[in-house]
Amino acid sequence: MNSEHYFDWAATAPCDAEILRESLETAIQYDGNPSSVHKTGKEARKIFEEARESCAKTLGVKSSQLYFTSGGTESDHIPLLSVLNTPAKKGRIILSAIEHPALREECFMLKKQGFDVVSVNPDKNGFIAPQSIIENLTPDTLFVTVMAVNNETGCIQSIYEIADALEEAAKGKKKPHFHVDCVQAAGKIPLDLSHKGIDSAALSAHKISGPRGIGLLYLAKPMNSFLVGGGQEQNIRSGTENLFGAVAFAKCLEKFYLGKNAAPSTNERYEQQKEWIIDFLKKLKTLEKCRLVPELREDFSEETQSRFSPWVVQAAFVGIPGNVMVRALDAKGFCISTGSACSAKKQSRPILAAMNASRDIQDSAVRFSFGAATTKKAMEELFEAVKEVVEDFWA
Protein backbone atom coordinates (compact mmCIF):
# COMPACT_ATOMS: atom_id res chain seq x y z
CA MET A 1 0.00 0.00 0.00
CA ASN A 2 1.23 3.49 -0.89
CA SER A 3 0.64 5.28 2.40
CA GLU A 4 1.64 8.71 1.11
CA HIS A 5 -1.83 9.54 -0.22
CA TYR A 6 -3.74 7.03 1.89
CA PHE A 7 -6.16 8.75 4.24
CA ASP A 8 -8.38 5.89 5.38
CA TRP A 9 -6.37 4.75 8.39
CA ALA A 10 -9.53 4.42 10.49
CA ALA A 11 -10.62 1.60 8.15
CA THR A 12 -7.25 -0.14 8.24
CA ALA A 13 -3.69 1.06 8.69
CA PRO A 14 -0.94 0.34 6.17
CA CYS A 15 1.03 -2.54 7.64
CA ASP A 16 4.36 -2.09 9.36
CA ALA A 17 6.30 -4.31 6.96
CA GLU A 18 9.29 -4.74 9.26
CA ILE A 19 7.15 -5.88 12.18
CA LEU A 20 5.12 -8.27 10.04
CA ARG A 21 8.23 -9.81 8.47
CA GLU A 22 9.88 -10.31 11.87
CA SER A 23 6.70 -11.79 13.30
CA LEU A 24 6.24 -14.15 10.35
CA GLU A 25 9.81 -15.35 10.70
CA THR A 26 9.14 -16.06 14.38
CA ALA A 27 5.96 -17.96 13.50
CA ILE A 28 7.86 -20.02 10.91
CA GLN A 29 10.60 -20.81 13.40
CA TYR A 30 8.15 -21.79 16.14
CA ASP A 31 5.58 -23.55 14.01
CA GLY A 32 4.13 -25.94 16.57
CA ASN A 33 0.63 -25.72 18.01
CA PRO A 34 0.97 -23.68 21.22
CA SER A 35 -1.50 -26.04 22.92
CA SER A 36 0.48 -29.19 22.13
CA VAL A 37 2.36 -30.76 25.05
CA HIS A 38 5.46 -31.86 23.13
CA LYS A 39 8.67 -29.84 22.89
CA THR A 40 7.76 -28.01 19.67
CA GLY A 41 4.38 -27.04 21.08
CA LYS A 42 5.91 -25.86 24.35
CA GLU A 43 8.42 -23.70 22.47
CA ALA A 44 5.57 -22.06 20.52
CA ARG A 45 3.61 -21.60 23.76
CA LYS A 46 6.55 -19.79 25.34
CA ILE A 47 6.70 -17.28 22.47
CA PHE A 48 2.91 -16.88 22.52
CA GLU A 49 2.86 -16.11 26.25
CA GLU A 50 5.78 -13.72 25.88
CA ALA A 51 3.68 -11.80 23.34
CA ARG A 52 0.80 -11.65 25.84
CA GLU A 53 3.11 -10.43 28.59
CA SER A 54 4.51 -7.76 26.26
CA CYS A 55 0.98 -6.54 25.46
CA ALA A 56 0.14 -6.47 29.17
CA LYS A 57 3.26 -4.48 30.03
CA THR A 58 2.51 -1.92 27.33
CA LEU A 59 -1.16 -1.64 28.26
CA GLY A 60 -0.43 -1.46 31.99
CA VAL A 61 -2.60 -4.46 32.91
CA LYS A 62 -2.02 -8.05 34.03
CA SER A 63 -1.27 -10.67 31.38
CA SER A 64 -4.03 -12.83 32.89
CA GLN A 65 -6.51 -10.09 31.90
CA LEU A 66 -5.71 -10.29 28.18
CA TYR A 67 -7.11 -12.74 25.66
CA PHE A 68 -6.19 -12.94 21.99
CA THR A 69 -9.16 -13.02 19.60
CA SER A 70 -9.78 -12.83 15.86
CA GLY A 71 -10.29 -9.05 15.96
CA GLY A 72 -12.31 -6.15 17.31
CA THR A 73 -15.71 -7.63 16.48
CA GLU A 74 -15.09 -10.83 18.41
CA SER A 75 -13.63 -8.83 21.30
CA ASP A 76 -16.88 -6.85 21.36
CA HIS A 77 -19.14 -9.89 21.07
CA ILE A 78 -17.57 -12.12 23.72
CA PRO A 79 -18.30 -9.93 26.78
CA LEU A 80 -21.70 -8.86 25.49
CA LEU A 81 -22.98 -12.35 24.76
CA SER A 82 -21.27 -13.90 27.78
CA VAL A 83 -22.89 -11.49 30.22
CA LEU A 84 -26.29 -12.04 28.64
CA ASN A 85 -25.80 -15.80 28.58
CA THR A 86 -25.67 -15.98 32.37
CA PRO A 87 -28.98 -14.74 33.78
CA ALA A 88 -32.27 -16.48 33.14
CA LYS A 89 -34.04 -13.12 32.97
CA LYS A 90 -33.60 -10.98 29.89
CA GLY A 91 -32.65 -7.57 31.23
CA ARG A 92 -31.61 -4.24 29.77
CA ILE A 93 -28.70 -3.42 27.47
CA ILE A 94 -27.62 0.21 27.16
CA LEU A 95 -25.50 1.26 24.22
CA SER A 96 -24.57 4.59 22.75
CA ALA A 97 -26.20 5.36 19.41
CA ILE A 98 -22.75 5.98 17.94
CA GLU A 99 -21.37 2.46 18.45
CA HIS A 100 -19.59 0.55 15.71
CA PRO A 101 -21.83 -1.89 13.78
CA ALA A 102 -20.08 -4.75 15.60
CA LEU A 103 -22.02 -3.79 18.71
CA ARG A 104 -24.94 -1.83 17.31
CA GLU A 105 -26.14 -4.55 14.96
CA GLU A 106 -25.62 -7.32 17.52
CA CYS A 107 -27.67 -5.41 20.08
CA PHE A 108 -30.47 -4.98 17.55
CA MET A 109 -30.47 -8.76 17.06
CA LEU A 110 -30.69 -9.25 20.83
CA LYS A 111 -33.65 -6.89 20.95
CA LYS A 112 -35.49 -9.26 18.59
CA GLN A 113 -34.79 -12.02 21.10
CA GLY A 114 -36.51 -10.16 23.91
CA PHE A 115 -33.78 -8.10 25.54
CA ASP A 116 -34.63 -4.53 26.53
CA VAL A 117 -32.20 -2.57 24.35
CA VAL A 118 -31.88 1.18 24.93
CA SER A 119 -29.88 3.31 22.50
CA VAL A 120 -28.65 6.58 24.02
CA ASN A 121 -28.20 9.46 21.60
CA PRO A 122 -25.23 11.82 21.78
CA ASP A 123 -25.58 15.59 21.83
CA LYS A 124 -25.42 17.47 18.52
CA ASN A 125 -21.62 17.37 18.67
CA GLY A 126 -21.44 13.59 19.04
CA PHE A 127 -20.67 13.25 22.74
CA ILE A 128 -22.40 10.87 25.14
CA ALA A 129 -23.06 12.51 28.52
CA PRO A 130 -22.43 10.22 31.51
CA GLN A 131 -25.72 11.38 33.00
CA SER A 132 -27.62 10.19 29.92
CA ILE A 133 -26.34 6.68 30.62
CA ILE A 134 -27.21 6.85 34.31
CA GLU A 135 -30.72 8.12 33.58
CA ASN A 136 -31.42 4.94 31.60
CA LEU A 137 -30.22 2.50 34.26
CA THR A 138 -32.76 0.06 35.66
CA PRO A 139 -32.33 -2.61 38.35
CA ASP A 140 -32.13 -5.25 35.62
CA THR A 141 -29.52 -3.46 33.46
CA LEU A 142 -26.90 -6.05 32.58
CA PHE A 143 -24.60 -4.43 30.06
CA VAL A 144 -23.51 -0.90 29.12
CA THR A 145 -21.24 -0.11 26.18
CA VAL A 146 -19.78 3.21 25.01
CA MET A 147 -16.90 3.40 22.54
CA ALA A 148 -13.74 5.34 23.45
CA VAL A 149 -13.31 7.16 20.12
CA ASN A 150 -15.95 7.36 17.44
CA ASN A 151 -14.70 5.96 14.15
CA GLU A 152 -16.48 8.58 12.01
CA THR A 153 -16.35 11.86 13.94
CA GLY A 154 -13.26 11.30 16.07
CA CYS A 155 -15.17 12.34 19.21
CA ILE A 156 -13.39 11.14 22.34
CA GLN A 157 -16.02 9.83 24.75
CA SER A 158 -15.94 10.29 28.52
CA ILE A 159 -15.36 6.61 29.26
CA TYR A 160 -13.62 7.19 32.60
CA GLU A 161 -16.38 9.51 33.81
CA ILE A 162 -19.00 7.01 32.68
CA ALA A 163 -17.16 4.22 34.51
CA ASP A 164 -17.06 6.36 37.67
CA ALA A 165 -20.74 7.25 37.32
CA LEU A 166 -21.72 3.60 36.99
CA GLU A 167 -19.66 2.73 40.06
CA GLU A 168 -21.35 5.50 42.03
CA ALA A 169 -24.83 4.56 40.83
CA ALA A 170 -24.33 0.96 41.92
CA LYS A 171 -23.57 2.01 45.54
CA GLY A 172 -22.54 -1.44 46.62
CA LYS A 173 -25.12 -3.27 44.47
CA LYS A 174 -24.19 -5.32 41.42
CA LYS A 175 -23.00 -2.94 38.72
CA PRO A 176 -23.82 -3.50 35.04
CA HIS A 177 -20.89 -4.76 33.01
CA PHE A 178 -19.23 -1.75 31.33
CA HIS A 179 -17.57 -2.49 27.99
CA VAL A 180 -15.49 -0.08 25.91
CA ASP A 181 -14.69 -0.50 22.22
CA CYS A 182 -11.12 0.87 22.08
CA VAL A 183 -10.41 -0.06 18.46
CA GLN A 184 -10.03 3.58 17.36
CA ALA A 185 -8.35 4.62 20.62
CA ALA A 186 -5.48 2.21 21.17
CA GLY A 187 -2.37 3.64 19.55
CA LYS A 188 -4.23 6.86 18.68
CA ILE A 189 -4.86 8.64 22.01
CA PRO A 190 -3.62 8.08 25.58
CA LEU A 191 -5.56 5.15 27.03
CA ASP A 192 -5.80 3.61 30.50
CA LEU A 193 -7.55 0.24 30.54
CA SER A 194 -6.81 -0.25 34.23
CA HIS A 195 -9.26 2.50 35.23
CA LYS A 196 -11.65 1.12 37.84
CA GLY A 197 -15.08 0.40 36.43
CA ILE A 198 -13.96 -0.58 32.93
CA ASP A 199 -14.91 -4.26 32.92
CA SER A 200 -13.85 -5.12 29.38
CA ALA A 201 -12.36 -3.55 26.27
CA ALA A 202 -11.77 -4.48 22.65
CA LEU A 203 -8.63 -3.75 20.61
CA SER A 204 -7.64 -4.59 17.02
CA ALA A 205 -4.16 -4.93 15.54
CA HIS A 206 -4.86 -3.80 11.99
CA LYS A 207 -5.80 -0.30 13.16
CA ILE A 208 -2.21 0.25 14.29
CA SER A 209 -0.34 -1.27 11.34
CA GLY A 210 -0.60 -4.87 12.51
CA PRO A 211 -2.10 -7.82 10.63
CA ARG A 212 -5.82 -8.38 10.14
CA GLY A 213 -7.43 -11.23 12.02
CA ILE A 214 -5.95 -10.61 15.48
CA GLY A 215 -7.49 -8.69 18.33
CA LEU A 216 -7.29 -8.40 22.08
CA LEU A 217 -9.99 -8.64 24.71
CA TYR A 218 -9.30 -7.07 28.08
CA LEU A 219 -11.29 -8.45 31.01
CA ALA A 220 -10.83 -6.87 34.43
CA LYS A 221 -12.13 -10.12 35.96
CA PRO A 222 -12.56 -13.63 34.53
CA MET A 223 -15.99 -14.53 33.16
CA ASN A 224 -17.79 -17.57 31.83
CA SER A 225 -17.66 -17.26 28.06
CA PHE A 226 -20.61 -18.12 25.87
CA LEU A 227 -18.07 -19.69 23.48
CA VAL A 228 -17.11 -23.29 24.17
CA GLY A 229 -14.69 -25.57 22.40
CA GLY A 230 -11.12 -26.65 22.91
CA GLY A 231 -10.63 -24.35 25.89
CA GLN A 232 -7.82 -22.18 24.53
CA GLU A 233 -7.38 -18.66 25.93
CA GLN A 234 -8.43 -19.77 29.41
CA ASN A 235 -11.80 -20.98 28.07
CA ILE A 236 -12.68 -17.45 26.91
CA ARG A 237 -12.00 -17.97 23.21
CA SER A 238 -11.41 -21.45 21.85
CA GLY A 239 -9.49 -22.04 18.64
CA THR A 240 -5.88 -22.70 17.69
CA GLU A 241 -3.74 -19.77 18.76
CA ASN A 242 -2.53 -17.27 16.16
CA LEU A 243 1.16 -17.04 17.06
CA PHE A 244 2.06 -14.76 14.15
CA GLY A 245 -0.76 -12.35 14.98
CA ALA A 246 0.01 -12.28 18.70
CA VAL A 247 3.70 -11.54 18.17
CA ALA A 248 2.92 -8.83 15.62
CA PHE A 249 0.24 -7.23 17.81
CA ALA A 250 2.65 -7.07 20.74
CA LYS A 251 5.28 -5.35 18.61
CA CYS A 252 2.75 -2.85 17.19
CA LEU A 253 1.47 -1.96 20.63
CA GLU A 254 5.01 -1.45 21.87
CA LYS A 255 5.70 0.88 18.94
CA PHE A 256 2.45 2.84 18.69
CA TYR A 257 0.60 2.68 22.01
CA LEU A 258 -0.06 5.98 23.76
CA GLY A 259 -0.17 5.69 27.53
CA LYS A 260 2.03 5.53 30.59
CA ASN A 261 4.52 3.28 28.81
CA ALA A 262 4.55 5.05 25.44
CA ALA A 263 7.82 5.46 23.54
CA PRO A 264 9.06 9.09 23.39
CA SER A 265 8.93 9.08 19.57
CA THR A 266 5.28 7.97 19.68
CA ASN A 267 4.37 10.84 22.01
CA GLU A 268 6.25 13.29 19.79
CA ARG A 269 4.35 12.12 16.71
CA TYR A 270 1.06 12.45 18.58
CA GLU A 271 1.82 16.04 19.61
CA GLN A 272 2.88 16.80 16.04
CA GLN A 273 -0.38 15.44 14.66
CA LYS A 274 -2.41 17.66 16.99
CA GLU A 275 -0.75 20.69 15.39
CA TRP A 276 -1.09 19.40 11.84
CA ILE A 277 -4.76 18.58 12.18
CA ILE A 278 -5.66 22.10 13.28
CA ASP A 279 -3.88 23.47 10.22
CA PHE A 280 -5.79 21.00 8.02
CA LEU A 281 -9.12 21.96 9.61
CA LYS A 282 -8.45 25.67 9.11
CA LYS A 283 -7.70 25.08 5.44
CA LEU A 284 -10.91 23.10 4.97
CA LYS A 285 -12.88 25.98 6.44
CA THR A 286 -11.58 28.30 3.73
CA LEU A 287 -13.78 26.33 1.32
CA GLU A 288 -17.12 28.15 1.26
CA LYS A 289 -19.50 25.20 1.44
CA CYS A 290 -17.41 22.98 3.69
CA ARG A 291 -18.96 22.08 7.04
CA LEU A 292 -16.89 20.37 9.71
CA VAL A 293 -18.78 17.62 11.49
CA PRO A 294 -19.56 18.17 14.26
CA GLU A 295 -19.75 21.94 14.14
CA LEU A 296 -17.88 22.19 17.45
CA ARG A 297 -14.73 21.21 15.60
CA GLU A 298 -14.74 24.63 13.96
CA ASP A 299 -13.51 25.93 17.32
CA PHE A 300 -9.76 25.58 16.85
CA SER A 301 -8.82 26.14 20.49
CA GLU A 302 -6.56 23.55 22.10
CA GLU A 303 -9.19 22.80 24.75
CA THR A 304 -11.89 22.00 22.20
CA GLN A 305 -9.63 20.04 19.88
CA SER A 306 -8.49 17.89 22.83
CA ARG A 307 -11.99 16.38 22.78
CA PHE A 308 -11.34 14.90 19.35
CA SER A 309 -8.88 12.37 18.00
CA PRO A 310 -6.33 14.25 15.87
CA TRP A 311 -6.33 11.30 13.48
CA VAL A 312 -9.96 11.50 12.32
CA VAL A 313 -11.81 14.36 10.60
CA GLN A 314 -15.31 14.35 9.18
CA ALA A 315 -16.36 17.10 6.82
CA ALA A 316 -19.34 17.69 4.54
CA PHE A 317 -19.05 19.43 1.19
CA VAL A 318 -22.64 20.51 0.67
CA GLY A 319 -24.00 19.62 -2.75
CA ILE A 320 -21.39 16.92 -3.40
CA PRO A 321 -22.57 13.44 -2.37
CA GLY A 322 -20.03 11.73 -0.13
CA ASN A 323 -19.57 8.76 -2.45
CA VAL A 324 -18.93 11.16 -5.35
CA MET A 325 -16.19 12.92 -3.36
CA VAL A 326 -14.64 9.55 -2.53
CA ARG A 327 -14.54 8.56 -6.21
CA ALA A 328 -13.30 11.96 -7.36
CA LEU A 329 -10.39 11.87 -4.94
CA ASP A 330 -9.71 8.23 -5.75
CA ALA A 331 -9.31 9.24 -9.39
CA LYS A 332 -6.63 11.68 -8.26
CA GLY A 333 -4.85 8.98 -6.25
CA PHE A 334 -6.18 9.85 -2.79
CA CYS A 335 -7.96 7.29 -0.59
CA ILE A 336 -10.68 8.48 1.80
CA SER A 337 -14.08 7.08 2.84
CA THR A 338 -17.58 8.11 3.84
CA GLY A 339 -17.34 6.33 7.18
CA SER A 340 -16.93 2.86 8.60
CA ALA A 341 -15.66 0.35 6.03
CA CYS A 342 -18.01 -2.17 7.66
CA SER A 343 -20.95 -0.08 6.45
CA ALA A 344 -19.47 1.23 3.20
CA LYS A 345 -22.16 -0.38 1.03
CA LYS A 346 -25.01 1.06 3.08
CA GLN A 347 -26.52 4.46 2.34
CA SER A 348 -27.67 5.23 5.88
CA ARG A 349 -25.54 7.26 8.28
CA PRO A 350 -26.82 6.19 11.73
CA ILE A 351 -24.15 8.06 13.67
CA LEU A 352 -24.88 11.38 11.96
CA ALA A 353 -28.61 10.72 12.27
CA ALA A 354 -28.18 10.17 16.01
CA MET A 355 -26.43 13.56 16.16
CA ASN A 356 -29.48 15.07 14.43
CA ALA A 357 -27.40 16.16 11.44
CA SER A 358 -29.36 17.45 8.47
CA ARG A 359 -29.98 15.21 5.48
CA ASP A 360 -27.64 17.37 3.37
CA ILE A 361 -24.83 16.86 5.87
CA GLN A 362 -25.46 13.11 6.07
CA ASP A 363 -25.42 12.76 2.29
CA SER A 364 -22.25 14.79 1.72
CA ALA A 365 -20.09 13.90 4.73
CA VAL A 366 -16.76 12.13 4.20
CA ARG A 367 -14.04 10.97 6.55
CA PHE A 368 -10.34 11.76 6.36
CA SER A 369 -8.23 9.61 8.69
CA PHE A 370 -4.51 9.69 9.28
CA GLY A 371 -1.76 7.67 10.90
CA ALA A 372 1.82 7.59 12.10
CA ALA A 373 3.27 7.48 8.57
CA THR A 374 1.18 10.42 7.32
CA THR A 375 3.30 13.46 6.47
CA LYS A 376 2.40 17.13 6.66
CA LYS A 377 3.22 17.44 2.96
CA ALA A 378 0.75 14.66 2.12
CA MET A 379 -1.96 16.38 4.17
CA GLU A 380 -1.30 19.61 2.27
CA GLU A 381 -1.57 17.74 -1.02
CA LEU A 382 -4.83 16.19 0.14
CA PHE A 383 -6.28 19.62 0.80
CA GLU A 384 -5.24 20.85 -2.64
CA ALA A 385 -6.90 17.81 -4.23
CA VAL A 386 -10.10 18.44 -2.24
CA LYS A 387 -10.00 22.07 -3.29
CA GLU A 388 -9.74 21.09 -6.96
CA VAL A 389 -12.72 18.74 -6.65
CA VAL A 390 -14.99 21.25 -4.93
CA GLU A 391 -14.03 24.02 -7.34
CA ASP A 392 -15.03 21.77 -10.24
CA PHE A 393 -18.40 20.95 -8.65
CA TRP A 394 -19.16 24.38 -7.23
CA ALA A 395 -18.06 26.36 -10.29
Side-chain angles (χ1 to χ4, degrees):
M1 181 186 294
N2 177 11
S3 62
E4 184 180 3
H5 287 161
Y6 180 79
F7 301 101
D8 199 18
W9 287 70
T12 195
C15 69
D16 187 304
E18 182 178 356
I19 286 179
L20 266 61
R21 288 192 188 99
E22 290 177 357
S23 302
L24 183 57
E25 288 174 1
T26 299
I28 292 171
Q29 181 179 356
Y30 300 94
D31 57 355
N33 187 321
S35 290
S36 295
V37 296
H38 47 62
K39 180 182 177 182
T40 301
K42 288 179 180 178
E43 289 174 343
R45 167 60 61 182
K46 181 176 182 294
I47 300 301
F48 188 75
E49 292 304 325
E50 286 176 355
R52 192 194 313 275
E53 290 169 7
S54 174
C55 291
K57 180 180 178 181
T58 302
L59 296 171
V61 300
K62 298 176 182 177
S63 60
S64 59
Q65 295 175 309
L66 294 180
Y67 307 85
F68 287 106
T69 68
S70 65
T73 295
E74 188 178 26
S75 294
D76 281 333
H77 284 186
I78 289 174
L80 170 63
L81 299 179
S82 297
V83 167
L84 304 184
N85 194 43
T86 303
K89 183 179 180 182
K90 292 184 177 179
R92 171 167 286 192
I93 304 167
I94 300 175
L95 74 154
S96 79
I98 59 171
E99 292 303 297
H100 187 275
L103 280 163
R104 184 177 67 242
E105 298 301 323
E106 186 66 29
C107 286
F108 289 163
M109 289 294 294
L110 290 165
K111 186 174 184 176
K112 294 179 181 179
Q113 296 176 24
F115 285 92
D116 177 19
V117 177
V118 174
S119 180
V120 176
N121 282 337
D123 62 21
K124 67 177 183 178
N125 289 307
F127 296 100
I128 300 293
Q131 187 58 32
S132 67
I133 298 293
I134 302 305
E135 289 172 353
N136 283 283
L137 286 178
T138 55
D140 67 344
T141 300
L142 304 171
F143 194 89
V144 175
T145 181
V146 179
M147 69 194 326
V149 174
N150 184 260
N151 52 299
E152 291 191 20
T153 64
C155 294
I156 299 174
Q157 302 303 322
S158 303
I159 57 171
Y160 308 119
E161 289 81 356
I162 292 171
D164 293 343
L166 288 170
E167 290 277 328
E168 178 63 24
K171 294 182 178 178
K173 300 178 182 178
K174 185 172 176 59
K175 179 182 75 72
H177 185 103
F178 181 45
H179 176 73
V180 182
D181 184 325
C182 296
V183 168
Q184 292 294 343
K188 305 294 183 67
I189 65 168
L191 186 64
D192 179 14
L193 294 183
S194 66
H195 188 92
K196 184 180 179 182
I198 296 178
D199 298 305
S200 60
L203 294 82
S204 181
H206 79 98
K207 303 296 187 180
I208 52 171
S209 298
R212 300 177 185 93
I214 185 74
L216 270 173
L217 169 62
Y218 163 77
L219 290 177
K221 297 178 181 178
M223 70 190 317
N224 293 319
S225 177
F226 84 104
L227 288 174
V228 294
Q232 293 92 337
E233 289 304 276
Q234 302 174 61
N235 289 310
I236 293 294
R237 193 267 179 180
S238 295
T240 302
E241 298 89 343
N242 180 352
L243 180 61
F244 160 68
V247 171
F249 203 168
K251 291 179 181 292
C252 286
L253 279 175
E254 184 178 353
K255 183 173 181 178
F256 297 112
Y257 190 74
L258 282 157
K260 297 177 182 177
N261 300 317
S265 59
T266 304
N267 280 325
E268 289 173 9
R269 178 66 186 90
Y270 175 61
E271 294 299 322
Q272 188 180 57
Q273 184 63 23
K274 289 194 289 186
E275 295 179 4
W276 292 359
I277 206 67
I278 291 176
D279 182 60
F280 181 70
L281 292 169
K282 288 180 177 179
K283 287 180 177 177
L284 287 179
K285 280 304 297 174
T286 64
L287 304 176
E288 183 182 357
K289 296 181 183 179
C290 175
R291 304 289 182 269
L292 298 182
V293 184
E295 187 178 346
L296 180 63
R297 201 143 198 197
E298 295 181 7
D299 176 354
F300 303 124
S301 67
E302 184 177 343
E303 180 180 358
T304 296
Q305 292 302 318
S306 69
R307 303 180 67 187
F308 298 90
S309 167
W311 308 99
V312 178
V313 168
Q314 185 155 218
F317 301 90
V318 180
I320 306 175
N323 57 0
V324 172
M325 175 62 80
V326 170
R327 290 197 297 268
L329 286 175
D330 188 38
K332 293 177 177 290
F334 295 82
C335 299
I336 68 163
S337 67
T338 54
S340 171
C342 300
S343 303
K345 295 181 180 179
K346 299 179 181 179
Q347 298 300 314
S348 61
R349 300 297 298 272
I351 291 172
L352 296 184
M355 293 165 56
N356 203 29
S358 69
R359 188 69 252 177
D360 285 346
I361 295 296
Q362 292 184 48
D363 290 342
S364 58
V366 295
R367 179 183 70 186
F368 306 103
S369 53
F370 314 94
T374 303
T375 64
K376 192 172 191 301
K377 178 176 179 289
M379 291 177 69
E380 292 170 348
E381 290 170 347
L382 170 63
F383 170 72
E384 292 301 324
V386 170
K387 185 178 179 182
E388 290 175 6
V389 172
V390 300
E391 286 177 347
D392 287 342
F393 275 88
W394 293 341

